Amino acid sequence: MNMADRLAWGILGAGGIAGAFAKGVQSSKSGTLVAVGSRSKEKAEKFGTEHKIPNRHGSYEALLADPAVKAVYIATPHPQHAEWAIKAARAGKHLLIEKPVALNYAQAIAIFEAAKLNDVFVMEAFMYRCHPQMKKVVELIKEKAIGEVRLIQATFSFHAGFSADSRLFSNELGGGGILDVGCYATSFSRLVAGAAQGKDYADPLEVRGAGFVGTTGVDEWAAATLKFAGNIIAQVATGVSLNQDNSARVYGSEGRIIVKDPWIPARDGGTVSIELHRNGKPVEEIKIETNVGLYGLEADTVAANLEKREAREMSWGDTLGNMKTLDLWRQSIGQQYEQEKADKFQPVPPRKIAAVAGNNMKYGEIQGVGKKISRLVFGADFAGGWSREFHVLADDFFERGGNAFDNSHWYGKADQHLGQWIRSRGVRTQTVVLGKGAHTPYCTPQYLEQQIKESAEKYDGYIDVYAMHRDNPDVPVGEFIDVLNRCKKAGLIKAFGVGNWSLDRLRAANAYAAEKGVEGVKVLSNNFSLARMVNPVWPGCVSASEPEYRAYLKENQIALMPWSSQARGFFVDGRSAPEKKDDGELVNSWYSDDNFKRLERAQSLAKKRGVTAVNIALAYVLAQPFPTFPLVGPRALVEMRTTMPGLDVVLTPDEMKWLNLEV
Ligand SMILES: NC(=O)c1ccc[n+]([C@@H]2O[C@H](COP(=O)([O-])OP(=O)(O)OC[C@H]3O[C@@H](n4cnc5c(N)ncnc54)[C@H](OP(=O)(O)O)[C@@H]3O)[C@@H](O)[C@H]2O)c1
């Protein structure tokens, strides 16, 4: 290959593994090393001289600004991966990122979103996946050389000798065995479990770990059991304070495969071998030879797949699944880095978040709130679990101009986590919290008052808009209205309403308020979407779709903050069709002849407008003749991104009638 056609690499971070990769590129068939960037100019010079690299930069920024560099190899400690990977993607550089691709799954999703937006290649640097030995293992599994896979064992650890200064034991630098080398063992298990099911990889259904977290708060040794579909079990073990045999074994119904040297096979090229034990037969030794070193193979894998933007050897989905597995493993042993705790987890790259100029968010108002409210309300229910993904999505939403968040006392720790996000970003005065409470079986005036107080504490003492999560027809409406008025007077809530209430009860509540001269219901959080809910998604759920309900909302200009405003994915391309019955929840709640007609119409209108049917469904909710603030629940940055165009779709009255099946 002539020099001009070779992939021009720049190395970011001149540390230990960077040296190995530098040699690797020089032995590769496709790469050339053009630049190195270090935080220190002297170090860059020294590294450059040692590896004969022409461009030596005294900062990472300078490396990323170097036009000669086409692909960047990120070789910093793990906590810095995401920041520099995202900055490199924005600079238009293709990316090979050392493993683990980031400190956690949440940062990983931010990396892939940046790669997608900037159209660059990304691969996590699992060089062992690029060696033909792994292709052979996959081939043996797929051809059922050992029958059905039942158990996988993979170990990778080393005894570094404790040193509080070393990155391996440093909490700040993401030390510990699970992230450093345990990631190989999980990635191997997922590869093999996937191959056994005819797929590129599989994600575990369960991860159960045990481990020792030392004085610096990092896991010094740990093990885990992973359970996959098909009753495939994996045992993985790792550490930075013990030596193991560092092998990988796969046990099947008719034999076993032993990979003695799975992780760093033939570093500089040469021969490695796999043992294949078929039950009752002599051991077969399968030899695999390479004439390019391991890191050279890795660089060649990047070059060969550059146009596709990902390599099958370690695809984006594979990396995300592995990161999730590592999160679960660490969670199960109680290990968490200080910087990723809910009150400290910062946006990556580090920045003060603010709505970006030119965003397309629209705003409305609700009397009493005193702030503009984004027409899209981000559902924070999933923040009740692990909050980091929520932080990444909430940052993105906020930068897109969103400031309203839906939450509930019912969602476990979600109030606490949203409160932590708001505090850590310093945005309380700009955000609007839609809080909810009094969910069945706690739907009584006493619980309502108590839960309002408990939730308000999480948000600097007040909630912007409060809605009851459910109704309890055994309680006279007036008792609830009295509590809501009292809490408003006390400054705990700024505006209030109800959720999942029937029209009769809502009317009765407002009649009571009018009679008593107190404030009535200004906000409703029932279901509402282009698709009509056929059966309640959860017990006690009520929609506001019927013409009579809509007429009441219009007449009284009550603000609707509808949940499942996009019918829980009903309008997503390819998700629903009369014959498609795999998603029971979708079938139960949204499948009806009329809804399929609406879907068809939304799809055809979407085609005309150059948007998606989901965007049309959102535009329909936004275009109602009463104020609407639809709740949306993106679980991934891509879902957030593809939701936004719905805000710009303006539907004509005729189109509204047509979507409503009125013509
Ligand atoms: N695939 C493999 O075979 C393999 C093997 C070992 C490690 N790794 C991975 O490679 C990454 C780096 O590991 P390593 O062993 O090469 O580490 P290392 O020797 O400590 O080098 C890391 C380099 O990162 C840069 N850096 C940036 N911010 C830093 C900070 N706050 N503290 C310390 N260094 C910082 C430094 O380069 P400058 O001073 O030049 O800026 C440093 O030399 C890790 O993510 C690790 O998991 C992979």
PDB file of all heavy atoms in Angstrom, residues 156-174:
ATOM      1  N   PHE A 156      -9.174 -13.107  33.873  1.00  0.00           N
ATOM      2  CA  PHE A 156      -8.095 -12.195  33.487  1.00  0.00           C
ATOM      3  C   PHE A 156      -7.808 -11.310  34.695  1.00  0.00           C
ATOM      4  O   PHE A 156      -8.666 -10.559  35.167  1.00  0.00           O
ATOM      5  CB  PHE A 156      -8.489 -11.354  32.270  1.00  0.00           C
ATOM      6  CG  PHE A 156      -7.308 -10.664  31.589  1.00  0.00           C
ATOM      7  CD1 PHE A 156      -5.996 -10.820  32.045  1.00  0.00           C
ATOM      8  CD2 PHE A 156      -7.505  -9.862  30.464  1.00  0.00           C
ATOM      9  CE1 PHE A 156      -4.921 -10.211  31.411  1.00  0.00           C
ATOM     10  CE2 PHE A 156      -6.431  -9.227  29.819  1.00  0.00           C
ATOM     11  CZ  PHE A 156      -5.145  -9.404  30.293  1.00  0.00           C
ATOM     12  N   SER A 157      -6.594 -11.442  35.213  1.00  0.00           N
ATOM     13  CA  SER A 157      -6.168 -10.600  36.337  1.00  0.00           C
ATOM     14  C   SER A 157      -4.648 -10.568  36.384  1.00  0.00           C
ATOM     15  O   SER A 157      -3.975 -11.294  35.645  1.00  0.00           O
ATOM     16  CB  SER A 157      -6.722 -11.154  37.654  1.00  0.00           C
ATOM     17  OG  SER A 157      -6.102 -12.384  37.951  1.00  0.00           O
ATOM     18  N   PHE A 158      -4.128  -9.729  37.249  1.00  0.00           N
ATOM     19  CA  PHE A 158      -2.675  -9.699  37.485  1.00  0.00           C
ATOM     20  C   PHE A 158      -2.457  -9.133  38.885  1.00  0.00           C
ATOM     21  O   PHE A 158      -3.357  -8.496  39.452  1.00  0.00           O
ATOM     22  CB  PHE A 158      -1.951  -8.847  36.433  1.00  0.00           C
ATOM     23  CG  PHE A 158      -2.556  -7.491  36.248  1.00  0.00           C
ATOM     24  CD1 PHE A 158      -2.154  -6.408  37.021  1.00  0.00           C
ATOM     25  CD2 PHE A 158      -3.567  -7.291  35.308  1.00  0.00           C
ATOM     26  CE1 PHE A 158      -2.748  -5.158  36.867  1.00  0.00           C
ATOM     27  CE2 PHE A 158      -4.162  -6.032  35.152  1.00  0.00           C
ATOM     28  CZ  PHE A 158      -3.748  -4.974  35.939  1.00  0.00           C
ATOM     29  N   HIS A 159      -1.290  -9.393  39.424  1.00  0.00           N
ATOM     30  CA  HIS A 159      -0.967  -8.886  40.759  1.00  0.00           C
ATOM     31  C   HIS A 159      -0.039  -7.691  40.587  1.00  0.00           C
ATOM     32  O   HIS A 159       1.150  -7.850  40.339  1.00  0.00           O
ATOM     33  CB  HIS A 159      -0.300  -9.992  41.579  1.00  0.00           C
ATOM     34  CG  HIS A 159      -0.356  -9.724  43.055  1.00  0.00           C
ATOM     35  ND1 HIS A 159      -0.160  -8.469  43.580  1.00  0.00           N
ATOM     36  CD2 HIS A 159      -0.597 -10.540  44.108  1.00  0.00           C
ATOM     37  CE1 HIS A 159      -0.275  -8.529  44.894  1.00  0.00           C
ATOM     38  NE2 HIS A 159      -0.546  -9.775  45.237  1.00  0.00           N
ATOM     39  N   ALA A 160      -0.628  -6.496  40.711  1.00  0.00           N
ATOM     40  CA  ALA A 160       0.166  -5.293  40.437  1.00  0.00           C
ATOM     41  C   ALA A 160       0.981  -4.867  41.655  1.00  0.00           C
ATOM     42  O   ALA A 160       1.955  -4.138  41.523  1.00  0.00           O
ATOM     43  CB  ALA A 160      -0.756  -4.168  40.009  1.00  0.00           C
ATOM     44  N   GLY A 161       0.597  -5.327  42.861  1.00  0.00           N
ATOM     45  CA  GLY A 161       1.242  -4.832  44.082  1.00  0.00           C
ATOM     46  C   GLY A 161       0.631  -3.486  44.406  1.00  0.00           C
ATOM     47  O   GLY A 161       0.674  -2.572  43.571  1.00  0.00           O
ATOM     48  N   PHE A 162       0.055  -3.370  45.596  1.00  0.00           N
ATOM     49  CA  PHE A 162      -0.725  -2.157  45.907  1.00  0.00           C
ATOM     50  C   PHE A 162       0.134  -0.894  45.875  1.00  0.00           C
ATOM     51  O   PHE A 162       1.230  -0.849  46.435  1.00  0.00           O
ATOM     52  CB  PHE A 162      -1.395  -2.288  47.283  1.00  0.00           C
ATOM     53  CG  PHE A 162      -2.223  -1.076  47.617  1.00  0.00           C
ATOM     54  CD1 PHE A 162      -3.494  -0.943  47.085  1.00  0.00           C
ATOM     55  CD2 PHE A 162      -1.717  -0.055  48.413  1.00  0.00           C
ATOM     56  CE1 PHE A 162      -4.260   0.189  47.351  1.00  0.00           C
ATOM     57  CE2 PHE A 162      -2.474   1.078  48.689  1.00  0.00           C
ATOM     58  CZ  PHE A 162      -3.756   1.196  48.153  1.00  0.00           C
ATOM     59  N   SER A 163      -0.385   0.095  45.189  1.00  0.00           N
ATOM     60  CA  SER A 163       0.222   1.426  45.243  1.00  0.00           C
ATOM     61  C   SER A 163      -0.907   2.426  45.056  1.00  0.00           C
ATOM     62  O   SER A 163      -1.577   2.425  44.017  1.00  0.00           O
ATOM     63  CB  SER A 163       1.264   1.577  44.125  1.00  0.00           C
ATOM     64  OG  SER A 163       1.425   2.952  43.838  1.00  0.00           O
ATOM     65  N   ALA A 164      -1.114   3.268  46.064  1.00  0.00           N
ATOM     66  CA  ALA A 164      -2.240   4.208  46.008  1.00  0.00           C
ATOM     67  C   ALA A 164      -2.081   5.181  44.843  1.00  0.00           C
ATOM     68  O   ALA A 164      -3.053   5.765  44.380  1.00  0.00           O
ATOM     69  CB  ALA A 164      -2.353   4.962  47.328  1.00  0.00           C
ATOM     70  N   ASP A 165      -0.851   5.364  44.342  1.00  0.00           N
ATOM     71  CA  ASP A 165      -0.616   6.335  43.265  1.00  0.00           C
ATOM     72  C   ASP A 165      -0.892   5.761  41.875  1.00  0.00           C
ATOM     73  O   ASP A 165      -1.032   6.492  40.904  1.00  0.00           O
ATOM     74  CB  ASP A 165       0.854   6.803  43.271  1.00  0.00           C
ATOM     75  CG  ASP A 165       1.184   7.485  44.574  1.00  0.00           C
ATOM     76  OD1 ASP A 165       0.246   8.037  45.188  1.00  0.00           O
ATOM     77  OD2 ASP A 165       2.359   7.444  44.982  1.00  0.00           O
ATOM     78  N   SER A 166      -0.900   4.443  41.799  1.00  0.00           N
ATOM     79  CA  SER A 166      -1.043   3.829  40.478  1.00  0.00           C
ATOM     80  C   SER A 166      -2.462   3.985  39.963  1.00  0.00           C
ATOM     81  O   SER A 166      -3.427   3.950  40.734  1.00  0.00           O
ATOM     82  CB  SER A 166      -0.667   2.348  40.600  1.00  0.00           C
ATOM     83  OG  SER A 166      -1.436   1.584  39.708  1.00  0.00           O
ATOM     84  N   ARG A 167      -2.639   4.127  38.640  1.00  0.00           N
ATOM     85  CA  ARG A 167      -3.987   4.268  38.087  1.00  0.00           C
ATOM     86  C   ARG A 167      -4.813   3.022  38.396  1.00  0.00           C
ATOM     87  O   ARG A 167      -6.038   3.084  38.477  1.00  0.00           O
ATOM     88  CB  ARG A 167      -3.936   4.566  36.587  1.00  0.00           C
ATOM     89  CG  ARG A 167      -3.861   3.395  35.679  1.00  0.00           C
ATOM     90  CD  ARG A 167      -4.131   3.699  34.211  1.00  0.00           C
ATOM     91  NE  ARG A 167      -3.768   2.548  33.410  1.00  0.00           N
ATOM     92  CZ  ARG A 167      -4.518   1.474  33.236  1.00  0.00           C
ATOM     93  NH1 ARG A 167      -5.700   1.397  33.806  1.00  0.00           N
ATOM     94  NH2 ARG A 167      -4.083   0.464  32.521  1.00  0.00           N
ATOM     95  N   LEU A 168      -4.142   1.896  38.616  1.00  0.00           N
ATOM     96  CA  LEU A 168      -4.864   0.639  38.861  1.00  0.00           C
ATOM     97  C   LEU A 168      -5.570   0.623  40.214  1.00  0.00           C
ATOM     98  O   LEU A 168      -6.502  -0.151  40.427  1.00  0.00           O
ATOM     99  CB  LEU A 168      -3.903  -0.541  38.765  1.00  0.00           C
ATOM    100  CG  LEU A 168      -3.299  -0.717  37.371  1.00  0.00           C
ATOM    101  CD1 LEU A 168      -2.153  -1.719  37.399  1.00  0.00           C
ATOM    102  CD2 LEU A 168      -4.364  -1.148  36.366  1.00  0.00           C
ATOM    103  N   PHE A 169      -5.105   1.455  41.157  1.00  0.00           N
ATOM    104  CA  PHE A 169      -5.742   1.506  42.478  1.00  0.00           C
ATOM    105  C   PHE A 169      -6.384   2.863  42.744  1.00  0.00           C
ATOM    106  O   PHE A 169      -6.971   3.072  43.803  1.00  0.00           O
ATOM    107  CB  PHE A 169      -4.709   1.190  43.571  1.00  0.00           C
ATOM    108  CG  PHE A 169      -4.251  -0.244  43.514  1.00  0.00           C
ATOM    109  CD1 PHE A 169      -3.150  -0.600  42.752  1.00  0.00           C
ATOM    110  CD2 PHE A 169      -4.955  -1.249  44.175  1.00  0.00           C
ATOM    111  CE1 PHE A 169      -2.745  -1.928  42.660  1.00  0.00           C
ATOM    112  CE2 PHE A 169      -4.560  -2.580  44.081  1.00  0.00           C
ATOM    113  CZ  PHE A 169      -3.449  -2.915  43.315  1.00  0.00           C
ATOM    114  N   SER A 170      -6.251   3.761  41.777  1.00  0.00           N
ATOM    115  CA  SER A 170      -6.778   5.110  41.991  1.00  0.00           C
ATOM    116  C   SER A 170      -8.263   5.179  41.661  1.00  0.00           C
ATOM    117  O   SER A 170      -8.687   4.822  40.560  1.00  0.00           O
ATOM    118  CB  SER A 170      -5.998   6.094  41.107  1.00  0.00           C
ATOM    119  OG  SER A 170      -6.764   7.250  40.876  1.00  0.00           O
ATOM    120  N   ASN A 171      -9.038   5.678  42.621  1.00  0.00           N
ATOM    121  CA  ASN A 171     -10.470   5.852  42.418  1.00  0.00           C
ATOM    122  C   ASN A 171     -10.701   6.908  41.334  1.00  0.00           C
ATOM    123  O   ASN A 171     -11.529   6.753  40.443  1.00  0.00           O
ATOM    124  CB  ASN A 171     -11.092   6.284  43.756  1.00  0.00           C
ATOM    125  CG  ASN A 171     -12.593   6.172  43.735  1.00  0.00           C
ATOM    126  OD1 ASN A 171     -13.244   6.831  42.944  1.00  0.00           O
ATOM    127  ND2 ASN A 171     -13.146   5.327  44.587  1.00  0.00           N
ATOM    128  N   GLU A 172      -9.903   7.959  41.392  1.00  0.00           N
ATOM    129  CA  GLU A 172     -10.064   9.065  40.444  1.00  0.00           C
ATOM    130  C   GLU A 172      -9.756   8.643  39.006  1.00  0.00           C
ATOM    131  O   GLU A 172     -10.323   9.165  38.056  1.00  0.00           O
ATOM    132  CB  GLU A 172      -9.113  10.172  40.869  1.00  0.00           C
ATOM    133  CG  GLU A 172      -9.506  11.518  40.378  1.00  0.00           C
ATOM    134  CD  GLU A 172      -8.411  12.532  40.687  1.00  0.00           C
ATOM    135  OE1 GLU A 172      -7.732  12.392  41.732  1.00  0.00           O
ATOM    136  OE2 GLU A 172      -8.249  13.456  39.863  1.00  0.00           O
ATOM    137  N   LEU A 173      -8.850   7.671  38.863  1.00  0.00           N
ATOM    138  CA  LEU A 173      -8.469   7.252  37.507  1.00  0.00           C
ATOM    139  C   LEU A 173      -9.179   5.967  37.077  1.00  0.00           C
ATOM    140  O   LEU A 173      -8.792   5.312  36.112  1.00  0.00           O
ATOM    141  CB  LEU A 173      -6.947   7.094  37.405  1.00  0.00           C
ATOM    142  CG  LEU A 173      -6.139   8.385  37.570  1.00  0.00           C
ATOM    143  CD1 LEU A 173      -4.636   8.125  37.431  1.00  0.00           C
ATOM    144  CD2 LEU A 173      -6.566   9.447  36.554  1.00  0.00           C
ATOM    145  N   GLY A 174     -10.234   5.602  37.817  1.00  0.00           N
ATOM    146  CA  GLY A 174     -11.047   4.448  37.386  1.00  0.00           C
ATOM    147  C   GLY A 174     -10.345   3.115  37.585  1.00  0.00           C
ATOM    148  O   GLY A 174     -10.483   2.204  36.747  1.00  0.00           O
TER     149      GLY A 174
END
